[in-house]
């Protein structure tokens, strides 16, 4: 759940910065290519972490407690 929250917050912030909405107030501007790359890496990170957690849960549930 934390992964999804941070991914959505990151995407929401990057959309605003790359659209130039925050440029007049804060001087922040990001090229759309860099924003797209960061959003893609964020999605890959969420998927990789979810798969890692899933494999750890499967190992814990299938381990023999002898």
């Amino acid at each position: 759940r934390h992964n999804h929250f941070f991914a959505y917050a990151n995407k929401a912030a990057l959309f605003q910065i790359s659209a130039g909405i925050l440029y007049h107030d804060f001087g922040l501007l990001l090229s759309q290519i860099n924003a797209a790359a960061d959003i893609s890496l964020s999605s890959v990170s969420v998927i990789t972490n979810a798969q890692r957690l899933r494999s750890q849960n499967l190992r814990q549930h299938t381990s023999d407690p002898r």
Side-chain angles (χ1 to χ4, degrees):
R1 292 181 182 171
H2 292 18
N3 273 342
H4 291 289
F5 170 75
F6 288 117
Y8 290 131
N10 185 19
K11 290 177 185 179
L14 289 175
F15 282 140
Q16 303 300 321
I17 293 171
S18 66
I21 293 175
L22 301 177
Y23 183 69
H24 295 292
D25 295 332
F26 300 105
L28 295 174
L29 186 62
L30 184 66
S31 75
Q32 293 176 354
I33 293 173
N34 290 338
D38 190 38
I39 289 169
S40 298
L41 290 174
S42 173
S43 297
V44 169
S45 172
V46 168
I47 292 169
T48 303
N49 197 23
Q51 293 297 328
R52 183 183 58 82
L53 290 173
R54 180 179 291 176
S55 69
Q56 283 183 348
N57 280 341
L58 290 176
R59 277 190 235 137
Q60 288 175 358
H61 291 298
T62 58
S63 64
D64 193 11
R66 290 187 224 180

